[in-house]
């Protein structure tokens, strides 16, 4: 029986992947067909599929998604930190174009939140997630997650907020057409409420099996009160500095 060697490292292989370097064992010579099918279309499909599946999971099952990632089920998800940076970039870009095309009268009051978010995006990136992580570490002590794991939960919360902001930007663009303005105003208010509630949804979805409903509700409420106080302090500091 002829033994097959990995084309990348020369290690003797069996199965679908090399146990030494991880390269697929069906790697063959590149042809024009394999280049299009595997390297180009395959890569795009793989990245896009995982990207959109991750966003869907974060929107509909944020807590479960975070807990899956924490428990080691990670290959099914797009890297959260990379996704965070991509969504931040998209938010800044869409807000820029919205402000470019919209008149001052067309910009709703709720968009001030998005403007503040975009203007201080770097500060928010480095402050909100650690705030959520540290506060949740003490408030949800029973689940015995470490700070790094709570950091993942905070990241998922912020990712959901960023996706909601992107949806809100799309709605706002649609609202520039006056016949749709009343509908988009309602949608904008709904999305704003979702933005406020998303961290609560995340922690409720993550810990609903670890606490009773009243106990979890109390803890989520405490998290919001503490985060509210800390956020007001940060906003006050930013206001004085800038």
């Amino acid at each position: 029986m002829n033994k097959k060697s990995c084309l990348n490292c020369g290690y003797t292989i069996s199965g679908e992947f090399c146990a030494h370097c991880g390269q697929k064992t069906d790697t063959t010579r590149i042809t024009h067909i394999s280049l299009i099918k595997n390297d180009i279309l395959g890569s795009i499909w793989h990245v896009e599929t995982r990207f959109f599946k991750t966003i869907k999971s974060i929107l509909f099952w944020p807590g479960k998604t975070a807990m899956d990632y924490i428990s080691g089920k990670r290959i099914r998800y797009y890297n959260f930190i990379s996704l965070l940076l991509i969504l931040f970039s998209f938010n800044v870009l869409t807000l820029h174009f919205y402000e470019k095309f919209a008149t001052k009268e067309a910009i709703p009051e709720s968009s001030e939140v998005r403007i503040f978010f975009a203007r201080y995006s770097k500060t928010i990136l480095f402050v909100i997630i650690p705030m959520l992580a540290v506060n949740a570490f003490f408030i949800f002590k029973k689940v015995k997650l470490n700070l790094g794991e709570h950091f993942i939960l905070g990241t998922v919360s912020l990712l959901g907020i960023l996706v909601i902001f992107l949806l809100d930007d799309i709605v706002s663009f649609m609202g520039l057409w006056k016949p749709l303005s009343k509908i988009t105003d309602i949608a904008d208010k709904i999305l704003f409420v979702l933005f406020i509630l998303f961290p609560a949804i995340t922690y409720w979805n993550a810990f609903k099996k670890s606490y009773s409903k009243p106990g979890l509700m109390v803890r989520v409420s405490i998290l919001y009160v503490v985060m509210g106080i800390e956020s007001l302090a940060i906003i006050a500091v930013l206001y004085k500095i800038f």
Side-chain angles (χ1 to χ4, degrees), residues 129-143 145-147 150-151 153-154 203 207 211 219 223 226-227:
I129 297 175
M131 278 171 58
L132 279 170
V134 173
N135 291 328
F137 175 78
F138 292 104
I139 294 170
F140 300 102
K141 198 77 174 178
K142 181 181 175 181
V143 294
L145 297 179
N146 60 41
L147 276 174
H150 277 290
F151 186 93
L153 275 161
Y203 287 98
F207 301 143
Y211 296 94
R219 284 169 175 81
L223 178 65
V226 174
M227 287 292 295

Side-chain angles (χ1 to χ4, degrees), residues 163-207:
V163 174
I164 291 169
F165 276 168
L166 274 178
L167 293 174
D168 197 28
D169 287 333
I170 294 169
V171 168
S172 296
F173 269 112
M174 293 170 62
L176 295 178
W177 188 41
K178 287 187 178 180
L180 288 177
S181 60
K182 289 184 179 180
I183 297 173
T184 55
D185 283 347
I186 295 170
D188 186 74
K189 288 179 174 62
I190 293 171
L191 288 170
F192 182 74
V193 172
L194 286 174
F195 147 67
I196 296 296
L197 294 178
F198 198 83
I201 294 169
T202 301
Y203 287 98
W204 188 278
N205 187 231
F207 301 143

Side-chain angles (χ1 to χ4, degrees), residues 35-179:
L35 181 65
I36 295 171
K37 182 181 177 182
N38 299 326
D39 292 78
I40 299 176
L41 295 178
S43 296
I44 293 172
W45 174 253
H46 178 69
V47 171
E48 285 190 351
T49 299
R50 200 151 51 119
F51 182 87
F52 289 111
K53 280 186 176 179
T54 302
I55 289 177
K56 179 183 175 182
S57 296
I58 287 170
L59 277 178
F60 293 98
W61 311 283
K64 182 181 183 301
T65 300
M67 296 304 286
D68 280 350
Y69 196 89
I70 289 168
S71 67
K73 299 174 183 177
R74 296 169 192 170
I75 196 168
R76 68 182 70 175
Y77 299 117
Y78 199 87
N79 182 273
F80 289 167
I81 304 302
S82 298
L83 186 59
L84 190 69
L85 297 175
I86 291 170
L87 290 177
F88 257 115
S89 301
F90 282 167
N91 270 277
V92 172
L93 190 63
T94 54
L95 181 61
H96 168 75
F97 282 109
Y98 176 69
E99 290 180 318
K100 183 178 180 180
F101 290 107
T103 61
K104 288 184 178 180
E105 293 78 15
I107 300 176
E109 292 180 3
S110 62
S111 68
E112 292 179 5
V113 178
R114 298 199 310 275
I115 293 169
F116 177 86
F117 192 86
R119 187 172 297 167
Y120 302 113
S121 58
K122 290 182 180 179
T123 303
I124 290 167
L125 174 63
F126 290 105
V127 171
I128 283 186
I129 297 175
M131 278 171 58
L132 279 170
V134 173
N135 291 328
F137 175 78
F138 292 104
I139 294 170
F140 300 102
K141 198 77 174 178
K142 181 181 175 181
V143 294
K144 296 181 180 179
L145 297 179
N146 60 41
L147 276 174
E149 290 165 337
H150 277 290
F151 186 93
I152 295 298
L153 275 161
T155 301
V156 169
S157 292
L158 186 55
L159 283 170
I161 289 170
L162 289 172
V163 174
I164 291 169
F165 276 168
L166 274 178
L167 293 174
D168 197 28
D169 287 333
I170 294 169
V171 168
S172 296
F173 269 112
M174 293 170 62
L176 295 178
W177 188 41
K178 287 187 178 180

